[in-house]
């Protein structure tokens, strides 16, 4: 059986390599490693807000971490600590997510990806967690990861992967306020919702931490497994010269 093909949403940033210092479509290599090391074939998807037709050729979608989602999308005023808006990225990833849900493709959202899921499911975000929690433990400093315990709900994918408790890394100043119609399946020690799922679908999971940074293959393996199952159940494409 061929490897499941998994799209990873990329973003546009100024980057330097070889002789170039230019705008580039980039994604942290650790996401690619998480997919390929666990049996998937990674395809990087630059931002494109015209359509989501590429999903017809994919077996799963990974929404990575990154800059804050524009608070205007949920009708909220911008907090002084909120990142500059990236409207193309927001629009492109929302389009991909909606298309993946329509096709019942497995979806894994990491950090920002979880937050995008929450908004798509009718939820809302805290824009700056220190204002809510009274501490900076979820992001001690820019580029510095925190660490905290997680407790998972029974009968969830999270509990299947990690058991009832584990410790995770942390680098985010925004977080889930209301999860919408998602089921919260993991909370940090201070009570913040940091894992959520849609139990009505084959695999829609979002986590607030960064398994790609910690080399957490357990979650990636479960995601790739779901993508492989989706690929096995999908009808074969019609080849040129074959009857439809």
């Amino acid at each position: 059986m061929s490897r499941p093909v998994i799209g990873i949403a990329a973003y546009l940033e100024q980057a330097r390599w070889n002789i170039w210092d230019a705008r580039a479509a980039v994604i942290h290599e650790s996401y690619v490693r998480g997919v390929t090391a666990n049996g998937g074939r990674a395809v990087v998807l630059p931002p494109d807000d015209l359509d989501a037709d590429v999903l017809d050729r994919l077996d799963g979608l990974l929404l990575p971490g990154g800059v804050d989602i524009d608070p205007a999308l949920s009708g909220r005023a911008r907090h002084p600590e909120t990142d500059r808006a990236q409207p193309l990225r927001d629009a492109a990833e929302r389009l991909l997510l909606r298309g993946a849900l329509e096709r019942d493709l497995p979806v894994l959202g990491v950090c920002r990806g979880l937050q995008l899921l929450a908004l798509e499911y009718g939820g809302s975000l805290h824009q700056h967690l220190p204002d809510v929690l009274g501490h900076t433990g979820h992001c001690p400093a820019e580029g510095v990861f925190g660490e905290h315990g997680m407790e998972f709900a029974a009968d969830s994918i999270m509990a299947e992967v990690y058991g009832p408790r584990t410790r995770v890394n942390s680098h985010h100043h925004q977080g889930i306020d209301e999860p919408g119609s998602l089921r919260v399946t993991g909370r940090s020690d201070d009570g913040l919702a940091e894992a959520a799922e849609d139990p009505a679908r084959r695999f829609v999971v979002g986590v607030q931490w960064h398994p790609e940074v910690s080399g957490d293959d357990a979650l990636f393996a479960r995601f790739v497994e779901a993508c492989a199952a989706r690929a096995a159940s999908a009808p074969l494409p019609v080849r040129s010269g074959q009857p439809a």
Side-chain angles (χ1 to χ4, degrees):
M1 180 183 293
S2 60
R3 293 180 289 169
V5 181
I6 298 171
I8 305 175
Y11 43 94
L12 301 178
E13 292 287 354
Q14 196 75 14
R16 296 184 63 185
W17 73 101
N18 197 0
I19 64 170
W20 305 107
D21 185 349
R23 188 90 159 152
V26 300
I27 188 67
H28 200 297
E29 190 271 341
S30 57
Y31 291 104
V32 176
R33 191 217 67 84
V35 168
T36 57
N38 290 285
R41 179 67 166 94
V43 175
V44 176
L45 305 175
D48 182 335
D49 62 354
L50 298 180
D51 60 61
D53 293 355
V54 66
L55 296 169
D56 293 333
R57 305 186 181 194
L58 301 178
D59 303 310
L61 175 66
L62 197 165
L63 297 171
V67 299
D68 297 335
I69 300 166
D70 189 346
L73 297 179
S74 53
R76 298 201 172 185
R78 181 175 298 277
H79 189 282
E81 297 296 328
T82 301
D83 295 337
R84 62 181 172 85
Q86 290 196 357
L88 176 59
R89 181 176 183 184
D90 288 341
E93 291 187 2
R94 293 178 78 195
L95 190 64
L96 287 174
L97 176 55
R98 289 172 181 172
L101 295 176
E102 290 170 359
R103 293 164 173 79
D104 199 19
L105 285 179
V107 175
L108 175 61
V110 173
C111 197
R112 170 192 160 95
L114 167 63
Q115 296 168 12
L116 198 67
L117 275 167
L119 293 181
E120 184 62 27
Y121 276 76
S124 59
L125 305 179
H126 295 299
Q127 282 201 64
H128 193 55
L129 289 175
D131 293 348
V132 178
L133 301 176
H135 65 79
T136 60
H138 290 272
C139 186
E142 187 71 21
V144 177
F145 282 79
E147 183 179 313
H148 59 75
M150 286 290 304
E151 183 170 346
F152 299 114
D155 302 321
S156 67
I157 292 174
M158 290 291 95
E160 291 176 10
V161 173
Y162 296 107
R165 286 191 60 86
T166 193
R167 292 191 68 79
V168 299
N169 58 19
S170 183
H171 189 278
H172 61 103
H173 82 107
Q174 295 195 326
I176 302 300
D177 179 7
E178 295 293 336
S181 56
L182 286 173
R183 179 193 178 198
V184 174
T185 55
R187 291 187 181 274
S188 56
D189 289 338
D190 55 13
L192 191 66
E194 295 220 325
E197 306 172 18
D198 181 351
R201 298 182 182 274
R202 68 174 72 229
F203 187 100
V204 173
V205 171
V207 299
Q208 191 64 76
W209 62 93
H210 287 269
E212 81 287 357
V213 171
S214 61
D216 173 8
D217 279 354
L219 182 56
F220 277 105
R222 183 68 176 79
F223 172 52
V224 173
E225 178 186 4
C227 296
R230 168 53 163 74
S233 66
L236 293 174
V238 175
R239 304 296 182 186
S240 177
Q242 291 182 340

